């Protein structure tokens, strides 16, 4: 009798485990076959800066370019379309209309989402950039030759005595 009860408990446990496994497989099949409509927030979206060539033509440069953090996007659409859009999605700021230096807050927009995917919300509605004037400076060139060649002397002279560099005033 005790042996019979142990066998029933083992069978009942086996059926429970098998039922859970079948339910998980069925759920995965339903999710992947039906490709449901979902809304999801994605973090770590890079910020793309456009219009830097126009900014440089106006005599300005972005100082804090490397300090601009990634942001987030809340997107909705079919699951498969969201996954395909994730690698191409970007938050964009345009610096071309800037005409003076200082700390300037720019409005963000999003691009790169696949057709059928809509952008619900951009994590940062504005992003601040530090703008400074571009300054040119002539830097003298000094050539140093270390060691001597095996077959005699070599004359080392720069073709120009100075090199002009451009960068932010700071």
């Amino acid at each position: 009798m005790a042996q019979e009860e142990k066998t029933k408990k083992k069978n009942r446990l086996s059926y429970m485990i098998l039922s859970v496994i079948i339910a998980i497989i069925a759920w995965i099949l339903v999710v992947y076959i039906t490709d449901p409509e979902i809304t999801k927030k994605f973090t770590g979206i890079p910020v793309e800066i456009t219009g830097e060539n126009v900014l440089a033509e106006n005599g300005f440069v972005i100082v804090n370019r490397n300090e601009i953090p990634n942001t987030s996007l809340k997107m909705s659409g079919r699951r498969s379309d969201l996954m395909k859009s994730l690698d191409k999605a970007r938050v964009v700021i345009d610096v071309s209309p800037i005409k003076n230096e200082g700390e300037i807050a720019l409005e963000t927009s999003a691009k790169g989402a696949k057709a059928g995917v809509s952008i619900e919300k951009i994590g940062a509605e504005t992003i601040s950039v530090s703008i400074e004037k571009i300054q040119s400076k002539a830097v003298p060139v000094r050539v140093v030759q270390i060691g001597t060649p095996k077959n005699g002397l070599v004359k080392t002279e720069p073709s120009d005595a100075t090199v002009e560099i451009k960068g932010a005033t700071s």
Side-chain angles (χ1 to χ4, degrees):
M1 186 112 153
Q3 182 74 13
E4 199 174 290
E5 260 188 53
K6 284 184 182 179
T7 307
K8 282 184 180 180
K9 284 184 180 181
K10 279 186 180 180
N11 284 341
R12 189 176 296 155
L13 182 63
S14 299
Y15 286 133
M16 281 188 204
I17 292 171
L18 184 61
S19 297
V20 168
I21 291 171
I22 289 172
I24 291 171
I25 291 172
W27 178 256
I28 290 171
L29 286 173
V30 166
V31 167
Y32 281 96
I33 289 172
T34 60
D35 196 18
E37 186 92 15
I38 61 172
T39 299
K40 186 157 176 69
K41 180 180 178 180
F42 297 98
T43 58
I45 304 294
V47 175
E48 183 179 300
I49 300 172
T50 60
E52 282 188 282
N53 55 350
V54 175
L55 187 68
E57 287 171 6
N58 292 335
F60 299 103
V61 67
I62 301 171
V63 179
N64 66 334
R65 180 179 182 68
N66 295 333
E67 298 166 13
I68 296 173
N70 291 344
T71 187
S72 62
L73 281 176
K74 186 175 181 183
M75 299 188 284
S76 64
R78 296 237 176 252
R79 186 186 168 285
S80 61
D81 292 339
L82 285 178
M83 293 303 124
K84 290 175 187 172
S85 293
L86 188 56
D87 291 339
K88 298 174 187 164
R90 300 276 183 271
V91 172
V92 180
I93 56 173
D94 183 15
V95 295
S96 61
I98 295 174
K99 301 290 184 212
N100 52 7
E101 60 185 322
E103 191 77 20
I104 300 170
L106 298 170
E107 288 188 19
T108 58
S109 62
K111 76 171 193 177
K114 189 176 187 260
V117 173
S118 62
I119 307 294
E120 301 288 326
K121 184 176 182 196
I122 300 173
E125 292 179 9
T126 61
I127 293 178
S128 292
V129 291
S130 294
I131 305 295
E132 287 186 11
K133 287 187 176 183
I134 295 177
Q135 185 176 11
S136 296
K137 185 176 183 179
V139 178
V141 176
R142 191 182 94 166
V143 178
V144 177
Q145 184 172 337
I146 300 174
T148 56
K150 293 180 182 178
N151 300 333
L153 297 174
V154 174
K155 184 177 181 182
T156 306
E157 288 183 354
S159 59
D160 294 321
T162 60
V163 174
E164 185 177 328
I165 59 169
K166 289 183 178 183
T169 305
S170 64

